[in-house]
Amino acid sequence: MKRLLSGAWEVICDFLYDIKCKLYHKIVKHDPNKPMRMQTQKRKDMVFYIVMMALPLLQFFIMWFSTNINHILLAFKEYDSDMNYTWTLNNFKTVFDNFLNNQELQLSLRNSVLFYLLVEIISLPTSLFIAFYFYKKWSHADKLRLIIVIPAMISSVVTVTCFYYLMDRGYPLLVKLLTGKEVLGLLVNNRTSMPMIIAYNIFYSLAGSFLFYSSAMSDVDNGISDAAKIDGATVLQEFTKITLPMIFPLLSTFIVAGAAGILIGDYGMYAFAQIGGNAMPTMGYYFTLYVTQDGAERRFPYFAALGLVLTVLTCIIVFSLRAIMRKFDPFEEKE
């Protein structure tokens, strides 16, 4: 009886399926002997693409274009004493003249580039080795992870304040307690202020980058590492020959994205200056310092022009660096 009912159910299902197919071909007028047209599928793909791209494009229009259009136009304006403006290119002439003659602007630009290079040269390999250490789950990895990730969990103003009191208040007290000598704080002292600021930026940058590197390393197939160990590969060879090439796309993305701030980095200088530290001029500090001064509204067109010039220079640097990174990408198809 059970076998009979099962056979009857199969006959009914086949009958209903035949009816469904006939109705479908009748509605869409599809000839089964001809290949299916791709226009319908392409139309569906285009609709899906438009829907998926609508929100990012809307966000770009609102958050970038509508926000920065006044900034772009402001660079071509010049205000008089009555705040009436005329269209001009004098702001760009002033910018290029200051690049050649203004020592403060030159020093700020040089410090921004120098800090970026020093921080990247030290923090990039350090972040990779720390991420590899956590990826291998060596001893005390969890404790070290918590210590390094703390700066990313709290405000930068808080970390700058803590660092300032440790270096400028705690260090002199510790030296006096141990040796009885009076010494200056490490941030107040001109000889040690720059190394301390670089050390702070290195430590602060480690908190964000190593998490992404560690997450990317966790996706590396363990079978590849095990095979390398069987072939006699050392830990350093495993890192350089297997792990690093496997996460190279993420690594190149971080390097290229980080280069976007090479000419506008603040490096915590404004926060150091506000709490009494010996702040060194950088481009980010240069903008913040002069834009927030009283009566700076008349100089806004100059800073708008300066921002556009720095944006163009940054684009040249970023796209050039991107081309260089693609040359070394092991996953990039070589011509």
Side-chain angles (χ1 to χ4, degrees):
M1 186 65 181
K2 185 177 180 180
R3 184 179 300 176
L4 180 63
L5 292 175
S6 177
W9 177 250
E10 290 181 1
V11 172
I12 294 173
C13 290
D14 293 339
F15 176 73
L16 293 176
Y17 179 76
D18 291 338
I19 294 176
K20 177 183 176 182
C21 293
K22 290 179 180 180
L23 290 175
Y24 175 78
H25 291 304
K26 185 177 181 179
I27 292 173
V28 301
K29 298 179 180 181
H30 175 64
D31 187 358
N33 297 322
K34 295 182 180 180
M36 182 176 287
R37 298 168 59 185
M38 296 298 296
Q39 294 181 357
T40 303
Q41 185 63 35
K42 289 182 179 180
R43 191 181 300 113
K44 292 181 180 180
D45 293 342
M46 181 59 66
V47 172
F48 176 78
Y49 176 78
I50 293 173
V51 171
M52 295 301 295
M53 291 299 296
L55 183 59
L57 290 175
L58 179 62
Q59 184 182 16
F60 171 79
F61 181 81
I62 295 175
M63 302 301 295
W64 192 91
F65 184 78
S66 61
T67 303
N68 290 288
I69 187 63
N70 289 331
H71 169 215
I72 296 173
L73 296 177
L74 186 62
F76 299 92
K77 296 179 180 180
E78 185 175 13
Y79 288 90
D80 56 19
S81 58
D82 297 327
M83 298 305 293
N84 297 318
Y85 66 87
T86 56
W87 298 100
T88 180
L89 294 175
N90 291 336
N91 296 315
F92 293 94
K93 295 179 181 178
T94 305
V95 168
F96 290 115
D97 182 68
N98 287 342
F99 274 137
L100 298 175
N101 302 314
N102 191 316
Q103 294 183 356
E104 185 178 9
L105 180 60
Q106 293 175 354
L107 181 61
S108 299
L109 187 61
R110 184 169 63 249
N111 284 341
S112 293
V113 176
L114 179 62
F115 282 177
Y116 169 81
L117 294 176
L118 291 176
V119 171
E120 285 297 316
I121 290 174
I122 299 175
S123 66
L124 179 61
T126 305
S127 298
L128 290 172
F129 281 117
I130 291 175
F132 188 72
Y133 185 89
F134 295 145
Y135 162 67
K136 301 299 291 184
K137 298 180 180 179
W138 287 332
S139 60
H140 305 292
D142 295 335
K143 298 178 182 178
L144 293 175
R145 184 193 299 269
L146 178 62
I147 294 174
I148 298 176
V149 81
I150 284 176
M153 300 169 60
I154 57 180
S155 172
S156 61
V157 177
V158 176
T159 57
V160 166
T161 304
C162 294
F163 186 79
Y164 168 77
Y165 279 98
L166 284 174
M167 298 297 106
D168 267 16
R169 303 291 177 87
Y171 174 74
L173 290 176
L174 181 62
V175 173
K176 185 177 181 180
L177 180 64
L178 296 177
T179 64
K181 297 180 179 180
E182 296 283 348
V183 295
L184 292 174
L186 296 177
L187 290 172
V188 176
N189 191 342
N190 292 328
R191 295 182 178 180
T192 58
S193 59
M194 183 175 179
M196 288 298 101
I197 292 175
I198 293 175
Y200 164 78
N201 283 279
I202 292 172
F203 182 69
Y204 191 79
S205 65
L206 293 178
S209 58
F210 88 91
L211 290 175
F212 292 96
Y213 295 144
S214 180
S215 177
M217 289 178 184
S218 64
D219 293 333
V220 177
D221 189 0
N222 292 328
I224 302 177
S225 301
D226 295 337
K229 292 178 182 178
I230 295 174
D231 292 336
T234 63
V235 175
L236 183 60
Q237 289 175 332
E238 178 186 353
F239 174 75
T240 56
K241 303 297 184 180
I242 298 176
T243 307
L244 194 59
M246 294 295 290
I247 68 167
F248 192 85
L250 177 66
L251 176 62
S252 61
T253 301
F254 262 79
I255 294 176
V256 173
I262 186 173
L263 300 180
I264 58 174
D266 175 74
Y267 300 99
M269 296 301 176
Y270 189 75
F272 279 116
Q274 293 300 308
I275 61 177
N278 186 17
M280 303 182 67
T282 58
M283 286 308 302
Y285 181 63
Y286 179 84
F287 273 99
T288 307
L289 181 64
Y290 286 101
V291 170
T292 55
Q293 286 181 349
D294 295 335
E297 291 82 2
R298 293 184 59 184
R299 299 197 66 192
F300 283 175
Y302 163 76
F303 289 108
L306 179 59
L308 288 181
V309 173
L310 293 178
T311 300
V312 173
L313 294 176
T314 302
C315 288
I316 296 174
I317 295 173
V318 168
F319 284 108
S320 301
L321 184 60
R322 180 175 178 269
I324 295 173
M325 296 304 296
R326 291 184 65 179
K327 292 290 184 180
F328 294 96
D329 191 347
F331 295 97
E332 189 74 19
E333 293 184 359
K334 303 297 188 296
E335 296 181 357

